[in-house]
Amino acid sequence: MKIEFWSDIVCPYCGLMDHRLHRALDRFAYGDQVQVIHRSFQLHPDLPRSGVTQRKLIEMAGAPTSTVNQVLRPIERAAKAEGLTPYHAVERTLGPTDLAHELLAYAAEQGRGNEVWTAMFRAHFGQARRLWTADEVLDFAAEVGLDRAEAAEALRSRRYRARVAADQREAQRLGARGAPFLVFDGRVAVPGAIGADDLLKVITKVWNESHPTPQPLPLVTGVGTDGVCTPDGCA
């Protein structure tokens, strides 16, 4: 089974859903047979490299200041209740995540995509880390054990830029208007964050539909047979 997970590293619902997906798969009987593929969806590509505070971004977007207490603080409380702490959805800086996503694509090519995505979520939301400039992204790369020189070459050449852009186009083609956006076996999509229990229900439903339990064949009755042999003998 394949789960494609579109997200942005600065999306607080995405970081929470990454945590919930781990929890759901830990509880799923066939979790070791599920392939999770992280894909990129940039929410604020036009922000300055120097970054802006979350409160400033709310102001720039023309959203009410009540967004902090009505949306972001509840996300922080949910994260804490689910063992994901600290989780800074308010007191942080946001910036363009193109270089971060290109590093994540490089990590995926090294076979470490999932763990590095989770580590980057924890760096940003757990430590309020800035990950907008090449130096910031490369410092993070070295901390998680990626080859800094190779990562630097990947960012300098921009060889993953097309892949990151293609991820976003595919999400939009599938109907995504934002992140998180999860697709299960290419057949069912969940646009937005849901709880771990509901996530497990979706995973189980999609798994059961593609892995039906074998059923006994109907038996022909009303005709004579010569008999049957079983481990207990013939009759």
Side-chain angles (χ1 to χ4, degrees):
M1 179 178 173
K2 180 172 69 175
I3 299 177
E4 295 170 280
F5 180 8
W6 275 269
S7 60
D8 196 354
I9 210 65
V10 294
C11 161
Y13 282 122
C14 297
L16 189 55
M17 280 297 287
D18 181 74
H19 181 64
R20 289 172 175 172
L21 183 57
H22 283 293
R23 292 176 58 211
L25 290 176
D26 284 344
R27 294 163 55 194
F28 183 53
Y30 307 101
D32 60 342
Q33 298 180 49
V34 176
Q35 178 188 20
V36 177
I37 301 173
H38 283 273
R39 299 199 184 281
S40 298
F41 195 108
Q42 297 179 73
L43 293 172
H44 306 292
D46 298 324
L47 289 178
R49 288 280 171 210
S50 56
V52 300
T53 67
Q54 175 64 82
R55 296 177 190 275
K56 179 62 176 178
L57 182 62
I58 291 171
E59 179 185 325
M60 290 166 59
T65 56
S66 60
T67 300
V68 169
N69 291 325
Q70 293 182 355
V71 178
L72 298 176
R73 292 300 186 196
I75 295 175
E76 292 181 336
R77 289 194 293 270
K80 182 177 181 179
E82 296 175 34
L84 193 59
T85 185
Y87 200 81
H88 303 289
V90 177
E91 305 306 333
R92 62 187 177 120
T93 299
L94 295 84
T97 53
D98 53 342
L99 298 179
H101 282 286
E102 289 174 38
L103 178 79
L104 291 164
Y106 164 74
E109 196 169 81
Q110 306 306 306
R112 298 187 56 200
N114 290 346
E115 63 174 294
V116 176
W117 268 92
T118 296
M120 192 174 282
F121 278 130
R122 292 305 300 135
H124 179 61
F125 291 107
Q127 305 167 23
R129 282 278 293 275
R130 299 168 180 253
L131 295 161
W132 330 134
T133 69
D135 284 342
E136 290 166 349
V137 171
L138 291 173
D139 285 346
F140 167 82
E143 289 172 17
V144 296
L146 292 170
D147 186 290
R148 186 186 177 105
E150 288 187 5
E153 192 283 325
L155 296 189
R156 187 166 48 250
S157 67
R158 306 303 301 265
R159 70 174 185 263
Y160 295 102
R161 179 164 49 181
R163 180 186 301 187
V164 170
D167 275 355
Q168 187 132 351
R169 288 195 302 271
E170 178 65 6
Q172 292 166 340
R173 185 189 70 81
L174 293 171
R177 295 185 299 165
F181 185 77
L182 285 82
V183 174
F184 301 80
D185 262 354
R187 297 187 293 115
V188 175
V190 172
I194 59 175
D197 289 344
D198 288 332
L199 185 54
L200 179 58
K201 289 177 183 177
V202 175
I203 294 169
T204 302
K205 181 177 184 295
V206 174
W207 176 275
N208 289 340
E209 289 174 352
S210 58
H211 299 78
T213 302
Q215 300 295 324
L217 294 173
L219 301 178
V220 176
T221 59
V223 297
T225 63
D226 290 334
V228 62
C229 291
T230 72
D232 297 324
C234 299

